[in-house]
Amino acid sequence: MKLQRVLQYTKALLADTVVAGDSVVDATAGNGHDTAFLAELVGSKGHVYAFDVQQQAVEATKLRLAENQLDKQATVILDGHQNVKKYVSEPIKAAIFNLGYLPGSEHSIVTKPGTTIEAVSDLLDLLHVGGMIILVVYHGHEGGKDERDKLLAYVSDLPQKYVHVLRYEFINQKNDPPFIIALEKMKDLP
């Protein structure tokens, strides 16, 4: 067995968790890669809710979905992931975040620790037991280390009886390589 790279492992976790008919969230739609992957997993009877604060990301995601005939099972929302409960009320099976900035765009528009933690908390409420929230933490940009540290403090305090928390990373890579935080819901939180 070879060690999977961060993005490969993210897809493996999602593929092991999500089945056709599920509802899921892409909390940072970006260029639409994860949204399209999730749309394939949930199939025509499931649904993906994809969020981004940048019009450029929303348009890129909608285009990727349309090009792959996946647009019918997805809703792309121009809003921050901290507002997920305004749009999603049904239980979800998984959620994915790619923290940092949109590749190929303005690097000053980044995810923030307060809104990320608020979204994770709300998504834990919506998450099925056995469901998973995956955060790919890019932390090499300005403000990235602050978000990383606050997020790690938050997830480290989640009660292990209710949520299992995994950190997956390559520790000998240079230049702030991304890592994964995966949250698996074991029981409904009190």
Side-chain angles (χ1 to χ4, degrees):
M1 178 178 120
K2 287 185 170 185
L3 292 175
Q4 291 183 327
R5 301 300 175 251
V6 167
L7 296 180
Q8 291 171 325
Y9 191 52
T10 298
K11 285 188 171 186
L13 290 171
L14 289 170
D16 286 346
T17 303
V18 178
V19 298
D22 283 340
S23 292
V24 297
V25 170
D26 183 349
T28 51
N31 289 311
H33 296 284
D34 288 336
T35 306
F37 180 70
L38 288 169
E40 289 175 5
L41 292 176
V42 302
S44 61
K45 298 214 184 316
H47 203 78
V48 181
Y49 296 90
F51 293 82
D52 211 290
V53 296
Q54 295 183 70
Q55 185 66 43
Q56 172 187 351
V58 167
E59 290 170 10
T61 299
K62 285 181 176 180
L63 179 61
R64 185 171 307 280
L65 290 167
E67 287 174 346
N68 292 284
Q69 291 83 45
L70 297 168
D71 48 319
K72 301 229 182 327
Q73 61 244 45
T75 303
V76 184
I77 301 159
L78 180 63
D79 202 351
H81 47 233
Q82 72 275 15
N83 296 316
V84 65
K85 283 193 169 179
K86 287 183 182 176
Y87 304 93
V88 183
S89 57
E90 76 245 38
I92 62 164
K93 193 64 174 286
I96 178 76
F97 290 75
N98 283 283
L99 303 180
Y101 55 82
L102 176 64
S105 75
E106 180 58 50
H107 290 194
S108 66
I109 302 172
V110 296
T111 54
K112 306 281 187 192
T115 56
T116 297
I117 291 169
E118 182 180 349
V120 170
S121 177
D122 285 347
L123 288 164
L124 277 171
D125 289 343
L126 294 168
L127 196 64
H128 280 287
V129 171
M132 192 165 303
I133 298 171
I134 302 167
L135 300 107
V136 181
V137 182
Y138 293 88
H139 55 101
H141 60 282
E142 188 173 330
K145 288 171 183 46
D146 180 52
E147 182 174 38
R148 174 199 65 200
D149 294 346
K150 288 179 177 169
L151 184 59
L152 285 169
Y154 169 75
V155 299
S156 295
D157 284 341
L158 291 171
Q160 69 179 17
K161 183 176 177 181
Y162 299 97
V163 182
H164 288 175
V165 180
L166 167 80
R167 180 173 173 169
Y168 183 85
E169 68 180 317
F170 292 91
I171 59 174
N172 66 337
Q173 292 181 354
K174 306 291 185 236
N175 300 318
D176 302 310
F179 64 92
I180 294 171
I181 298 171
L183 310 175
E184 181 183 13
K185 188 171 183 178
M186 305 309 293
K187 291 182 175 184
D188 284 321
L189 294 161

